[in-house]
């Protein structure tokens, strides 16, 4: 099946590089007045309209002046959860902090209780709705974490839901085991016993059922220490799981060094970052990931994007969609907020939300840019003057149509 798209006002994000680093992020290659050819769901050709091929196509779509860009690659989410935490949102408005709410047994433990009481089918339905929502907002590849189960049974339930989502939707999905998201209350002051449970009971079952691509740890004061994080990363490695680590959200305790030294694929959050953390990142291949919607929702600092990019590091942007710190999965808002609050240029933000997001999920061979042989996962905009208008005119939905694997959804 061949499909020709004509009259694209601007075809955006053309690159075959697997990741963009530092100054490379400033460039967003495009072709104005372009065509694109899709063959069996893959991009097979593109170029300027004056060179449009004259051959026969099974289908022709006139893009009528839309901008076309690669769909968003959201490399950090927790979209499998039960219910919501609207009450904690109101509690925070009334003066409590995120940390204070967690100390009272709210927070992640609150979500875990709800999830443990929810059936797998109900959890699937709630999560599928969120997945469909973000697909319509232009996300074409997504990472989804467990971590609201915190018992073997409930963690497996979450990961099985992610597996079902993988089977039933055209979006690319990577699954991450985040059993080390919080210490359950029955393990309070016995975190070593919980780590044993994660390593000796959960990990082998998850590996046997092939339920996870990565392992994650919430490395943070009051959650998991650097030593515990190292232990879990190493245990994950034994089962073939690379790590993606929650680190430096509230405090800088040395988690970045541990992650880089253990070959983590990414370190995510980084709202609080020390000069030595940046030096450490320069020594390894671990990708920093910023989550600006989380900073927005919790009113905490934004990841210092400019410092990271000036250090010639790559940077990816993701939503962190979850019930507690970021109840939003809108990558368009992430891109706008990165520009408005983190002073990223539109080019840098779009690169961070596409090709670098794909790299943070090891998907850059197939996703994240316009290149021959990559899947046709594309965003078609409504009539807008230029790509910079996307973050400039924040809060409006500029997406007209979304294509995944060559088909409009
Ligand atoms: O990435 N920081 C840890 N985990 C999530 C939030 C968890 C929650 O509050 O439910 C995050 O922000
Ligand atoms: Fe998170």
């Amino acid at each position: 099946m061949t499909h020709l798209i004509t009259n694209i006002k601007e075809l955006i994000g053309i690159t075959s590089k697997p990741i963009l680093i530092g100054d490379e992020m400033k460039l967003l290659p495009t072709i104005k007045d372009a065509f694109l050819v899709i063959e069996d769901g893959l991009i097979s050709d593109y170029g300027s309209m004056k060179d449009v091929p004259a051959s026969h196509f099974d289908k022709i779509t006139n893009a009528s002046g839309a901008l076309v860009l690669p769909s968003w690659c959201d490399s950090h989410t927790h979209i499998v959860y039960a219910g919501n935490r609207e009450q904690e949102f109101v509690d925070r408005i009334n003066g409590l902090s995120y940390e204070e709410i967690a100390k009272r047994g709210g927070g992640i433990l609150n979500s875990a209780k709800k999830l443990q009481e929810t059936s797998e089918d109900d959890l699937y339905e709630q999560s599928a709705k969120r997945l469909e929502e973000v697909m319509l907002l232009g996300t074409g590849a997504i990472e989804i974490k467990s971590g609201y189960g915190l018992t073997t049974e409930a963690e497996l339930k979450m990961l099985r839901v992610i597996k079902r989502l993988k089977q039933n939707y055209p979006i690319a999905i990577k699954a991450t085991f985040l059993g080390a998201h919080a210490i359950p209350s029955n393990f309070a002051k016995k975190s070593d016993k919980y780590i044993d449970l994660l390593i000796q009971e959960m990990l082998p079952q998850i590996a046997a059922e092939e339920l996870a691509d990565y392992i994650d740890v919430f490395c943070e004061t009051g959650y998991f220490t650097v030593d515990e994080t190292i232990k879990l990363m190493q245990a994950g490695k034994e089962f073939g799981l690379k790590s993606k680590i929650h680190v430096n959200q509230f405090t800088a305790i040395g988690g970045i060094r541990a992650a880089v030294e253990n070959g983590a694929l990414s370190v995510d959050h980084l709202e609080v970052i020390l000069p030595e953390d940046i030096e450490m990142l320069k020594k390894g291949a671990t990708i920093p990931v910023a989550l600006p919607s989380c900073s927005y929702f919790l009113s905490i600092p934004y990841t210092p994007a400019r410092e990271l990019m000036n250090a010639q590091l790559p940077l990816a942007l993701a939503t962190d969609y979850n019930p507690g710190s970021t109840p939003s999965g809108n990558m368009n808002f992430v891109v706008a907020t990165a520009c408005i609050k983190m002073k990223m240029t539109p080019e840098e933000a779009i690169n961070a939300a596409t090709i670098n997001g794909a790299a943070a999920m090891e998907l850059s061979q197939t996703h994240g840019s316009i290149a021959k042989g990559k899947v046709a996962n594309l965003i078609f905009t409504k009539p807008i003057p230029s790509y910079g208008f996307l973050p400039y005119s924040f809060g409006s939905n500029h997406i007209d149509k979304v294509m995944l694997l060559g088909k409009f959804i």
Side-chain angles (χ1 to χ4, degrees):
M1 155 82 181
T2 55
H3 186 177
L4 170 69
I5 318 267
T6 61
N7 297 313
I8 299 167
K9 179 172 171 170
E10 192 165 8
L11 182 62
I12 295 155
I14 302 167
T15 182
S16 45
K17 290 202 172 115
I19 188 165
L20 299 173
I21 290 169
D23 291 341
E24 291 174 353
M25 293 175 69
K26 294 187 198 313
L27 292 177
L28 182 66
T30 72
I31 298 175
K32 289 195 172 140
D33 195 20
F35 77 87
L36 180 95
V37 180
I38 299 159
E39 243 180 280
D40 299 327
L42 303 180
I43 298 170
S44 64
D45 198 10
Y46 58 83
S48 163
M49 268 310 278
K50 65 177 171 17
D51 302 320
V52 70
S55 40
H56 167 80
F57 292 95
D58 299 321
K59 190 176 168 191
I60 299 179
T61 301
N62 186 339
S64 337
L67 308 185
V68 172
L69 59 152
S71 57
W72 307 125
C73 296
D74 188 354
S75 67
H76 181 138
T77 84
H78 312 244
I79 65 164
V80 173
Y81 61 83
N84 65 69
R85 305 226 300 270
E86 198 187 316
Q87 183 53 48
E88 293 179 9
F89 168 62
V90 177
D91 292 343
R92 280 196 303 107
I93 292 169
N94 288 323
L96 285 182
S97 72
Y98 180 80
E99 289 96 325
E100 282 163 344
I101 290 167
K103 273 199 193 111
R104 295 178 170 197
I108 295 165
L109 297 185
N110 183 357
S111 286
K113 186 166 179 290
K114 287 193 172 86
L115 190 139
Q116 287 161 9
E117 291 161 356
T118 302
S119 73
E120 188 171 315
D121 285 342
D122 186 2
L123 186 62
Y124 176 82
E125 293 306 327
Q126 294 187 39
S127 309
K129 222 165 126 188
R130 289 179 204 113
L131 188 64
E132 288 173 17
E133 176 207 358
V134 303
M135 284 163 59
L136 290 169
L137 289 167
T139 299
I142 192 166
E143 181 257 18
I144 310 173
K145 299 172 195 297
S146 71
Y148 290 120
L150 309 184
T151 63
T152 304
E153 189 194 339
E155 283 294 309
L156 287 170
K157 176 163 70 182
M158 288 188 80
L159 290 163
R160 287 182 189 131
V161 165
I162 302 173
K163 190 173 184 175
R164 270 167 79 183
L165 295 171
K166 272 192 198 189
Q167 287 161 348
N168 296 344
Y169 285 91
I171 181 171
I173 298 179
K174 291 280 185 153
T176 300
F177 171 49
L178 175 57
H181 199 189
I183 314 270
S185 35
N186 52 329
F187 285 93
K189 304 216 167 65
K190 296 185 282 190
S191 66
D192 53 327
K193 293 280 177 301
Y194 186 58
I195 310 271
D196 288 347
L197 182 75
L198 292 169
I199 294 175
Q200 285 156 25
E201 191 174 296
M202 295 194 204
L203 258 178
Q205 286 195 50
I206 289 162
E209 281 188 52
E210 292 182 22
L211 290 173
D213 301 295
Y214 303 112
I215 186 166
D216 193 346
V217 180
F218 188 14
C219 179
E220 182 60 61
T221 308
Y223 292 84
F224 294 87
T225 65
V226 173
D227 285 345
E228 289 168 339
T229 303
I230 293 171
K231 204 169 168 193
L232 286 158
M233 284 191 285
Q234 289 176 349
K237 229 182 264 173
E238 278 169 33
F239 289 98
L241 306 181
K242 283 190 194 168
S243 43
K244 290 170 74 67
I245 305 293
H246 278 77
V247 80
N248 291 48
Q249 183 177 6
F250 302 107
T251 55
I253 56 174
I256 292 182
R257 167 181 287 275
V260 172
E261 285 177 349
N262 283 280
L265 174 62
S266 71
V267 278
D268 304 40
H269 273 288
L270 317 177
E271 289 88 343
V272 186
I273 193 160
L274 302 173
E276 66 228 48
D277 292 325
I278 294 190
E279 287 313 305
M280 205 56 224
L281 285 167
K282 278 159 70 176
K283 289 188 190 142
T286 301
I287 304 169
V289 179
L291 311 165
S293 307
C294 174
S295 298
Y296 177 83
F297 190 71
L298 292 186
S299 300
I300 60 174
Y302 288 85
T303 304
R306 185 58 54 203
E307 263 178 71
L308 292 163
M309 292 186 298
N310 280 350
Q312 300 313 315
L313 291 165
L315 181 64
L317 288 167
T319 62
D320 199 16
Y321 195 174
N322 75 73
S325 73
T326 323
S328 160
N330 189 343
M331 282 295 281
N332 306 281
F333 179 79
V334 165
V335 168
T337 307
C339 294
I340 297 162
K341 295 292 185 183
M342 295 160 68
K343 299 281 179 268
M344 292 177 78
T345 63
E347 291 79 9
E348 288 167 338
I350 292 172
N351 281 325
T354 53
I355 188 63
N356 284 1
M361 295 184 271
E362 296 182 295
L363 284 175
S364 38
Q365 291 306 315
T366 48
H367 292 74
S369 70
I370 305 297
K372 288 180 194 171
K374 285 201 177 184
V375 296
N377 280 14
L378 306 168
I379 293 172
F380 289 66
T381 70
K382 293 174 187 165
I384 52 170
S386 61
Y387 61 75
F389 199 81
L390 292 169
Y392 160 74
S393 179
F394 75 97
S396 294
N397 186 353
H398 298 296
I399 295 180
D400 179 35
K401 293 193 283 276
V402 172
M403 177 182 272
L404 291 179
L405 306 180
K407 293 199 179 91
F408 289 112
I409 62 165

